[in-house]
Amino acid sequence: MRVPLALAIAASVLALAATAPPDARAQIDLPDTPAGRRAAEMLRLTVEGDDAARRALVAEGFSPSLRDAFRIEEHLRIQAEMQRRSGGYDAVEVRDSDPFAIQVLVRARNGGELRMLTLRTETEPPHRIAGMGMRPLTPADGVEAPDVPERVLP
């Protein structure tokens, strides 16, 4: 049985899209607010951060109470482990935002798991991160599981 050329091309395009590198996936811009900028910085570090960049963020970008909640080595270990497991996170949707707090739906580059990032900054400059967390989604989040495209077989 011969496959029409248009169908073969469509199958090839779908196969390429399914295997596109993670950085080719759609991402959204976060609000230009203190919380939005800090959330973007955190997400960038989950993708391309190294210990020196993470150490600088903890030392300069975390409020004293957040920074001192753990030894710096523990902050670095948690962030490195998150990067290793997820491959980094991309922002998918801003769920709630004001100048000093933001809640962002994020997707892991490895495996596509959706999680909720919540971040709060100080209200005064330099707007250091005063609190943050990343958790699995719950039914209360009202997020539908994404459709997983079926593989197209030749």
Side-chain angles (χ1 to χ4, degrees), residues 5-6 12 26 29 62 67 76 81 87 94 101 110-111 115 119 121 131 135 143-145 148 153:
L5 181 59
S12 295
D29 290 327
F62 282 15
R67 181 190 61 229
L76 298 177
E81 181 66 15
V94 175
N110 292 343
R115 297 184 72 83
L119 185 140
T121 67
R135 63 172 175 75
V143 176
E144 296 282 332
V148 178
L153 302 176

Side-chain angles (χ1 to χ4, degrees), residues 1-5 7-8 154:
M1 177 172 117
R2 296 192 59 157
V3 177
L5 181 59
L7 183 57

Side-chain angles (χ1 to χ4, degrees), residues 48-124:
E48 58 190 53
D50 57 28
D51 273 352
R54 286 190 280 267
R55 185 177 297 274
L57 176 66
V58 171
E60 301 162 18
F62 282 15
S63 69
S65 62
L66 180 60
R67 181 190 61 229
D68 298 340
F70 302 104
R71 294 183 0 257
I72 192 160
E73 292 78 16
E74 186 64 10
H75 282 291
L76 298 177
R77 185 195 65 74
I78 291 167
Q79 292 177 24
E81 181 66 15
M82 184 171 36
Q83 181 183 26
R84 185 188 70 74
R85 285 186 178 188
S86 69
Y89 290 94
D90 294 315
V92 174
E93 178 185 345
V94 175
R95 298 303 297 262
D96 194 16
S97 178
D98 69 41
F100 309 110
I102 192 165
Q103 189 175 55
V104 184
L105 181 65
V106 297
R107 175 175 286 122
R109 289 186 170 199
N110 292 343
E113 178 187 21
L114 294 172
R115 297 184 72 83
M116 193 66 70
L117 169 67
T118 302
L119 185 140
R120 181 175 43 83
T121 67
E122 297 171 322
T123 57
E124 298 297 320

